[in-house]
Each structure stands twice: as C-alpha cells, then as structure tokens.
Amino acid sequence: MEYKLYDPLFLEKLIKDFSIENKNVCVAVSGGLDSMVLLNLLINISFNIKITLSVAHCNFSLRNKESNEDEYFVRNFCVKKNISYHIKRFNTFDFSKKKKISIQMAARKLRYDWFEELLEIYSYEYIALGHHFNDSIETFFINMMRGTGIKGLLGIPIKNKKFIRPLSGFTKKEILHYAKIKNIKWRLDNSNKEYKYLRNKIRLITSTFSNYFYKGVKKSMEYLYQENSFIEIEVRKINKEITVEKKSNPFLWKIECKKIKNLQPLSFYLFKLFFPYGFSNIENLKHLIHAQSGKQLISKKYRIIKNRNYWILIENHFFDKKDNGYVIQDIKFENLKYLPIDIQFIINPSPKEKNTKNMSFIDFDKIKFPLELRTWKKGDYFFPLNMKGKKKLSKYYKEKKFSILEKKQIWLLINGNGDIIFVIGNRLDDRFKVTKITKKILGIKI
C-alpha cells in the first residue's frame, strides 16, 4: 500500500515503524526542503503522541553568507516553535585537506561524528534524517558506477542503528507538493545545482524521469532487499561453519583455512565475510589462504594473520604499526602470540619451563618500554652474546649466509632506547644476558 505524506495512515505507520512514541528524537535540520518537511511532520505528530523533539544543525562554512543565513533560519524557527536545538560550525575545507578527502566526504564525516556525540551526551533514542527516495536512487547509481554488491544497490537504509529516515519512501516531488500544501518555508541550497559533483549530475538527470521510472526502481530495490536478506542469512551460516573461535572483548576471530578454501564461489564469500572488516582485495585474501605462517593483511582497523592452518582476525590496537615493524606498548603476553611470528614471553620461568626447547633468557630489568618488533634496516648493529665488541647486523647475516629473503623474514626485538635485544631465533645481545645479579628473568620462547 502506498501512502501520501498528508495521509493520517502514514503518520500512524511512521509512529509504529520507528517506535517513536515516548522517545527523545533529534532531527537533523539543514534548513532545506527535505529536513523542514520532516521537522514539520514530527511536530504535527507530537500534538497527538508524546514525543520530545530537538534539532541539530551543521554549519559547514562552505557558502559564506548563505551558510550563516541557513543557521539563523533554523535557529529562529526553533525559538519560535520552542524547540531545543544544537548548532555546530565546522571548518570543512581545513578538515578536507587534513584528511585528504573530498569536501562532500569531509562534511559527511563531520556530520555523523557530531551526531554520534549528541546521541551519547543527550541520550537521544534517534537522530531523524531527511533522506528521501531520490537520495536512494542517486546512491544506487553512484555505487553501481563504482562497483558494488547487492547491498550497495539497496539505496540508503530506512533505519540504521539509531538513525531513522521517515521520508525514505517518498520522492522529491511528493515532498515538494506537501510543503506547498502546508505552506512550509525552507532555504534553497544553490550548491545542489553545481554540476561538478557526481551526485548532483545524477540528481539533475533523474529529476527529468517520469513516475514510472521511480515506481520501477522502487520495485527493483524491494526485490533486491529480499534477495540480500536471503544472502545475509546464508553468509551467517557460513560464518559459523568456518569459525573456530570468536570473541568480542578483545575482538578475535579464529578461522579454519581449509574451510575457507572449500567455499564456492570463493570470491563471493571472501568479499561478504571480510569486506565489513575493510578487506576488499579478493586476490590478496586468496593468496593468504596458501601463504606461510606469519603472513598478514592489514586494513584500517583490522588485520588478518596467517597462523599455521588458521587465520586470526584481530583489531589493530593489539600493537601499533610503525615503519616496517610493531610497537609493543605493554607486555600483555596473551596478545603477543598474534604478532607476525609465533613468540611467547614468560616472566621468571619455572625450572620445567627453562628446559623447554627454543627458550632464551634475558634480564627483564634492562628492558625499557615501548619495545619494538621489526626487521633489519641499514646501520643496525648488536653485541653478540659471549663476544666482545659490537657487530653490524649486515655482517652477521653475511657470515650466517642468509639469503635476501631470509633477511627480510628475521625479526628483531628492539629495546625502548633503540638497542637490539634479540635477533629472534638466532642470537641474543650480550648486554641483556642473565647474570648473577639478575633479579627478574624474561623467558622468550620461539
């Protein structure tokens, strides 16, 4: 059943679908047509049910005088209607340059980061946004041009966590018609007409299409949504099948490589399973299945480490990436096993542990944090255990007849002052050896 904005049945549906009765709702209001219609709709609803409204306005400082006039317009409306409001000004140009992203992406990030703050500080149940069906169509075409799966063709979600979009099912024409009937005032944003933005180009083209076009696209999106729901259920089943262990605090996902390898179609499942963690290069994921232990892939927030016959997916805050190595801020020994080498640290090992194979010992009190785990770089030297004087690491590698590949695979444990503690798996540094006056021993097991 299709509804009109002025249909009382739609207002009832809106209240029911979003469960906004007795809720605190903050409305994102730019001052433009869509957000002003949304705000007026919610004000009308508040006459019939209990709902507490607030307004959030972003001044992105992109249109000089016009941006400030938008701010004044929203502020005056809120004062007149006795609605509490939040207004924040952003230096969007500087943020865009600093983050090296487009103006539109910068404005989006600033806006949503602020909305998240408002949700937390003021305990709003929802942030209501004025996105409509035309916005979903624009997103559909943008994602299609960039290359996407079904999910990218579903448009903008009606509800996403605490963000709701009550106008999602209505076109721009329907919203404009409603605004004229109800005599709603709004501000025009002339930047929406600028042809340099891809979204604006698509907006200008699709605005000339007939109602049949919108009805057809809406029906297609509904079919895609149903298909995507089915796919998501199947992917969740596969997720459980390949999982050996999964926990949230701290986040860790251990996956059996053999079961990943047997997935068909492999590329599809790799994308669906690991894209949410920032891994979009399918070929790299395929290579990691057959890679040797210790190899890893790194995204912005996560990393996948190949550990024998398993993948370990963890968050990057286990250790910080630095140059060609990892900074260990603190020894949390249960976490260090997820470093790119299989290494274990034991403070004051027992007599039985001391007899364990591949165990080396150093004076714990000589350690300075943060430690660093990295590979060789030019100029490195150390004091080989039980030898007098220092030796360049390049010379030590040459004497050991290590190949170029082997040199890149040998890890060094570096002290906080830059001294090499251990050429891991090969030789300790004499300065860190255990002596008669050592009070605390650190065992390093490879």
Side-chain angles (χ1 to χ4, degrees):
M1 179 178 179
E2 290 193 7
Y3 297 91
K4 302 295 183 183
L5 274 169
Y6 45 79
D7 189 338
L9 290 175
F10 165 68
L11 299 183
E12 290 179 16
K13 185 175 184 297
L14 191 155
I15 294 166
K16 182 181 177 182
D17 288 353
F18 297 107
S19 303
I20 58 175
E21 190 168 4
N22 297 316
K23 299 290 173 63
N24 293 325
V25 179
C26 185
V27 190
V29 180
S30 66
L33 170 65
D34 314 321
S35 60
M36 289 305 297
V37 164
L38 174 61
L39 181 56
N40 276 272
L41 267 173
L42 293 175
I43 290 172
N44 289 341
I45 289 173
S46 68
F47 293 142
N48 301 317
I49 64 169
K50 187 178 178 183
I51 175 173
T52 305
L53 291 177
S54 299
V55 163
H57 174 78
C58 302
N59 184 339
F60 294 110
S61 307
L62 293 173
R63 295 177 293 120
N64 301 319
K65 184 181 177 183
E66 284 186 23
S67 292
N68 294 332
E69 287 174 350
D70 290 346
E71 178 186 317
Y72 300 146
F73 174 79
V74 173
R75 188 196 304 271
N76 291 337
F77 181 91
C78 291
V79 170
K80 186 177 178 181
K81 296 290 184 179
N82 196 28
I83 299 173
S84 64
Y85 60 90
H86 313 277
I87 291 176
K88 187 158 185 174
R89 293 189 176 191
F90 300 100
N91 194 328
T92 313
F93 283 116
D94 285 354
F95 184 80
S96 171
K97 288 179 181 178
K98 183 180 178 181
K99 297 293 182 179
K100 296 180 180 179
I101 54 179
S102 69
I103 291 292
Q104 287 185 316
M105 286 300 295
R108 186 183 188 281
K109 177 160 179 56
L110 289 169
R111 177 169 66 250
Y112 279 98
D113 284 352
W114 183 46
F115 291 163
E116 293 285 359
E117 288 178 23
L118 293 177
L119 284 167
E120 185 175 348
I121 295 170
Y122 296 96
S123 300
Y124 293 123
E125 273 88 2
Y126 295 117
I127 298 279
L129 302 161
H131 294 115
H132 47 75
F133 188 63
N134 291 58
D135 293 319
S136 281
I137 290 176
E138 292 157 18
T139 301
F140 172 95
F141 282 110
I142 288 171
N143 288 341
M144 185 173 64
M145 291 164 68
R146 290 173 177 169
T148 184
I150 290 179
K151 197 170 183 179
L153 302 178
L154 299 179
I156 302 172
I158 295 172
K159 184 178 181 181
N160 184 16
K161 295 180 181 178
K162 291 193 174 184
F163 295 94
I164 59 173
R165 299 171 177 87
L167 302 181
S168 290
F170 298 95
T171 65
K172 188 80 169 183
K173 288 180 181 178
E174 289 174 305
I175 293 169
L176 179 60
H177 179 65
Y178 178 85
K180 289 179 177 178
I181 290 175
K182 297 293 183 178
N183 196 30
I184 296 172
K185 292 181 172 57
W186 71 89
R187 294 273 304 166
L188 285 172
D189 183 351
N190 291 318
S191 66
N192 288 333
K193 299 177 183 178
E194 292 181 8
Y195 212 60
K196 62 181 179 181
Y197 298 120
L198 176 59
R199 184 173 287 274
N200 287 357
K201 291 178 182 177
I202 295 171
R203 181 176 299 155
L204 291 168
I205 293 169
T206 55
S207 64
T208 63
F209 294 164
S210 67
N211 289 334
Y212 291 107
F213 166 79
Y214 291 103
K215 288 180 179 179
V217 174
K218 185 179 286 188
K219 192 171 288 186
S220 295
M221 283 186 175
E222 288 171 0
Y223 292 146
L224 287 171
Y225 181 82
Q226 293 169 14
E227 290 177 10
N228 186 67
S229 296
F230 172 78
I231 290 169
E232 293 296 328
I233 291 169
E234 291 302 307
V235 169
R236 282 196 290 271
K237 289 180 184 177
I238 295 296
N239 190 308
K240 288 182 180 180
E241 289 176 11
I242 67 173
T243 297
V244 177
E245 178 187 0
K246 199 168 190 178
K247 57 183 182 179
S248 57
N249 192 22
F251 178 79
L252 180 146
W253 184 14
K254 188 176 182 180
I255 308 155
E256 191 172 340
C257 284
K258 186 178 179 180
K259 289 185 177 179
I260 298 174
K261 183 180 176 181
N262 292 334
L263 293 176
Q264 293 296 330
L266 180 59
S267 296
F268 170 80
Y269 280 112
L270 287 175
F271 178 82
K272 294 297 291 184
L273 290 164
F274 299 102
F275 180 77
Y277 300 96
F279 299 97
S280 56
N281 191 315
I282 303 303
E283 292 306 312
N284 285 348
L285 289 166
K286 287 180 179 178
H287 288 315
L288 192 65
I289 295 172
H290 306 285
Q292 65 186 49
S293 189
K295 293 295 182 181
Q296 60 183 307
L297 294 176
I298 301 170
S299 69
K300 190 174 181 180
K301 293 183 179 180
Y302 296 89
R303 66 182 65 217
I304 306 173
I305 302 167
K306 177 73 178 292
N307 190 353
R308 297 188 179 89
N309 298 319
Y310 304 97
W311 281 4
I312 308 293
L313 197 156
I314 57 175
E315 291 177 286
N316 279 334
H317 66 233
F318 273 98
F319 36 81
D320 301 324
K321 189 81 172 70
K322 179 184 177 183
D323 300 328
N324 60 334
Y326 307 86
V327 178
I328 304 171
Q329 301 289 357
D330 185 19
I331 289 188
K332 293 182 180 178
F333 304 108
E334 71 276 12
N335 293 346
L336 294 177
K337 63 183 177 180
Y338 300 116
L339 288 166
I341 54 172
D342 194 359
I343 186 170
Q344 185 179 4
F345 291 76
I346 303 170
I347 296 178
N348 288 329
S350 65
K352 185 179 179 180
E353 288 171 326
K354 285 182 179 179
N355 292 326
T356 305
K357 287 184 178 181
N358 301 322
M359 177 79 81
S360 302
F361 308 97
I362 63 173
D363 190 327
F364 183 85
D365 292 325
K366 292 179 180 178
I367 290 176
K368 294 180 180 179
F369 287 97
L371 300 178
E372 184 181 356
L373 191 69
R374 63 167 174 81
T375 52
W376 170 84
K377 64 182 180 182
K378 191 175 180 181
D380 275 342
Y381 66 88
F382 76 125
F383 291 76
L385 183 66
N386 299 325
M387 283 185 62
K388 292 182 179 180
K390 65 182 181 181
K391 177 172 284 192
K392 280 194 172 184
L393 208 55
S394 57
K395 186 175 181 181
Y396 175 75
Y397 285 175
K398 188 175 182 181
E399 290 172 353
K400 298 286 284 185
K401 297 182 179 179
F402 290 144
S403 67
I404 294 173
L405 180 61
E406 287 173 323
K407 289 177 186 177
K408 290 181 179 179
Q409 293 174 340
I410 295 171
W411 291 88
L412 309 173
L413 185 63
I414 311 295
N415 203 23
N417 62 2
D419 293 336
I420 292 176
I421 298 173
F422 190 15
V423 181
I424 294 178
N426 286 274
R427 198 135 179 192
L428 289 168
D429 188 292
D430 196 72
R431 293 167 292 181
F432 296 88
K433 69 182 179 183
V434 174
T435 65
K436 291 180 180 180
I437 61 171
T438 297
K439 295 178 181 178
K440 202 172 186 180
I441 295 174
L442 179 65
I444 305 174
K445 181 185 176 183
I446 308 300

